[in-house]
Amino acid sequence: MTTQRRQRNRKRSKRRSIYCPIHGCYLDSVSQKYPLYTTKPEHLQQRGMGRRLALTVIAGFGTVPLTGEWLEAFWCDHCQETQWYHVRKTEANRYELVTAPVDLWQQASGVILPSGNPTVGEFTRRQARQTRFNGIKDFSRIG
């Protein structure tokens, strides 16, 4: 009976082995994963793709997801703070962490831009910021 239980426990998935790059302690995830994508061939070249192939892929697809890379927030028990990291999965159950640079947030999907949606017009943005409703007075400049 006990040998069967031990075999079952071995089959269970193990926790991700993500450790603090500064202190070496285990990090607890406190956010969802924000997957990364790219629209520039230079980013693909930095990840080992050839120049011509990178240009062809970007020209064909426009946007390419970067597999095995994402942004995620972790809680470090040693320094008692939350930090955002750029996580790269290098091999099975091995991860490389780098503090997330500001420009990398432009490549994350599912992130709300602080400047707002660029496809929204100025009128709509102004109406969304209003705290009170003026009704027909808002449209006095039209017509």
Side-chain angles (χ1 to χ4, degrees):
M1 175 90 173
T2 57
T3 57
Q4 287 178 339
R5 186 179 300 155
R6 280 189 216 143
Q7 288 174 349
R8 268 190 311 211
N9 289 341
R10 282 191 198 128
K11 292 179 186 175
R12 288 188 188 150
S13 63
K14 296 181 175 53
R15 291 171 70 175
R16 292 185 298 169
S17 58
I18 298 179
Y19 298 99
C20 179
I22 301 165
H23 306 109
C25 60
Y26 180 79
L27 292 175
D28 291 313
S29 176
V30 292
S31 76
Q32 68 182 43
K33 293 179 182 180
Y34 289 98
L36 298 175
Y37 67 91
T38 185
T39 56
K40 298 181 180 176
E42 298 85 38
H43 296 148
L44 295 176
Q45 286 177 300
Q46 291 171 356
R47 287 158 177 84
M49 190 177 282
R51 182 179 174 276
R52 182 173 284 169
L53 181 59
L55 288 168
T56 306
V57 168
I58 294 296
F61 294 107
T63 303
V64 179
L66 299 174
T67 55
E69 294 187 36
W70 63 90
L71 295 176
E72 190 172 358
F74 292 98
W75 170 261
C76 178
D77 219 17
H78 188 74
C79 57
Q80 296 290 309
E81 66 180 27
T82 299
Q83 182 72 34
W84 283 93
Y85 289 104
H86 173 208
V87 183
R88 276 193 191 128
K89 187 171 184 176
T90 55
E91 55 187 64
N93 215 20
R94 296 272 182 212
Y95 302 91
E96 178 184 306
L97 276 88
V98 179
T99 304
V102 176
D103 61 328
L104 202 59
W105 284 99
Q106 299 297 322
Q107 298 178 30
S109 60
V111 177
I112 298 171
L113 297 174
S115 61
N117 187 344
T119 62
V120 173
E122 184 58 37
F123 177 80
T124 307
R125 191 173 289 130
R126 190 173 58 244
Q127 293 298 313
R129 282 195 304 255
Q130 280 190 345
T131 56
R132 57 193 169 96
F133 177 71
N134 289 330
I136 199 71
K137 294 177 189 175
D138 289 337
F139 299 96
S140 63
R141 285 181 244 140
I142 300 174

